[in-house]
């Protein structure tokens, strides 16, 4: 089974991680949490600016991430779920590549990434500030590891961007991780 191409695993992970989030995003609705970014992104699409014209409970990052999906696919539930499903897909693929980077074999990288895709975003299904802050922080940790291991300039450049996105999604847990990583870099 270890002789299976990593491309097969990637294609399967892409399809599965997108599909499972899309499916579970349509199961049950928590009115306050589920629709908070739907409404604020709709306002953004109509030219109403967060913090200036209306109050949002988050830093606004999720609203701006959702904006192109509403712009290109219309303001509907499908495009709302497509954004969070796409994000779940990106996280799953990043996890697969990170696990390959720490020299896990294809099968174990696939299995752990598969489990990650089930547990990550489908628990909420729609864009949610707590999840996005943790996920951007996790992507930042992946970049931090790769930047240290390879001394890759691009990853050092990407690191503050990911932590910026994490912090302006929600300050907790991003601030704890940013402080910890900053101390590690300093020492």
């Amino acid at each position: 089974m270890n002789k299976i191409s990593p491309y097969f695993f990637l294609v399967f992970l892409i399809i599965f991680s997108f599909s499972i989030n899309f499916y579970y995003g349509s199961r049950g609705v928590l009115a306050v949490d589920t629709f908070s970014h739907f409404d604020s992104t709709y306002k953004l699409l109509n030219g109403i600016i967060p913090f200036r014209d209306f109050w949002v409970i988050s830093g606004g990052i999720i609203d701006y991430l959702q904006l192109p999906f509403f712009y290109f696919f219309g303001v509907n539930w499908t495009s709302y779920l497509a954004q969070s499903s796409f994000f779940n897909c990106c996280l799953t693929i990043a996890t697969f590549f990170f696990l390959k980077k720490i020299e896990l074999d294809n099968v174990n990288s696939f299995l752990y990434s598969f489990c990650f895709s089930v547990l990550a975003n489908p628990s909420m299904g729609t864009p949610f500030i707590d999840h996005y802050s943790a996920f951007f922080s996790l992507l930042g940790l992946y970049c931090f590891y790769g930047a240290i291991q390879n001394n890759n300039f691009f990853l050092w450049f990407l690191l503050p961007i990911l932590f910026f996105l994490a912090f302006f999604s929600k300050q907790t847990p991003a601030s704890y991780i940013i402080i910890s990583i900053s101390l590690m870099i300093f020492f």
Side-chain angles (χ1 to χ4, degrees):
M1 182 146 177
N2 217 7
K3 299 207 185 292
I4 297 175
S5 169
Y7 296 114
F8 171 77
F9 291 129
L10 282 173
V11 169
F12 182 83
L13 286 172
I14 288 169
I15 293 169
F16 180 78
S17 62
F18 189 91
S19 301
I20 193 166
N21 190 78
F22 199 86
Y23 176 79
Y24 281 106
S26 295
R27 303 294 169 250
V29 173
L30 303 169
V32 174
D33 293 332
T34 304
F35 291 105
S36 63
H37 301 290
F38 190 97
D39 297 338
S40 56
T41 305
Y42 177 73
K43 290 176 183 176
L44 256 174
L45 193 62
N46 289 320
I48 302 170
I49 308 297
F51 302 114
R52 186 187 75 183
D53 300 328
F54 69 98
W55 178 253
V56 291
I57 60 168
S58 66
I61 295 297
I62 295 177
D63 303 327
Y64 283 101
L65 289 175
Q66 182 65 44
L67 191 61
F69 286 86
F70 276 2
Y71 183 79
F72 290 111
F73 304 117
V75 180
N76 55 54
W77 190 252
T78 303
S79 61
Y80 190 55
L81 289 178
Q83 188 266 353
S84 60
S85 299
F86 177 74
F87 196 60
N88 192 50
C89 184
C90 293
L91 286 166
T92 302
I93 298 308
T95 301
F96 180 80
F97 282 121
F98 174 75
L99 295 173
K100 293 289 295 167
K101 188 73 162 166
I102 61 172
E103 299 179 4
L104 222 56
D105 61 276
N106 287 338
V107 174
N108 283 323
S109 296
F110 167 74
L111 289 175
Y112 289 132
S113 300
F114 178 83
C115 290
F116 181 84
S117 73
V118 171
L119 295 172
N121 221 18
S123 62
M124 186 62 186
T126 58
F128 192 61
I129 57 174
D130 296 313
H131 287 164
Y132 276 50
S133 179
F135 295 151
F136 281 124
S137 297
L138 180 66
L139 291 173
L141 290 172
Y142 291 168
C143 281
F144 180 66
Y145 177 82
I148 286 179
Q149 188 171 21
N150 300 331
N151 200 19
N152 186 329
F153 176 76
F154 177 72
L155 293 177
W156 283 114
F157 175 76
L158 193 57
L159 187 65
I161 295 171
L162 289 170
F163 285 143
F164 173 86
L165 292 172
F167 186 80
F168 284 105
S169 291
K170 186 175 181 184
Q171 291 71 38
T172 308
S175 57
Y176 301 130
I177 295 172
I178 292 169
I179 290 169
S180 300
I181 294 294
S182 299
L183 289 173
M184 284 189 237
I185 292 171
F186 180 72
F187 289 115

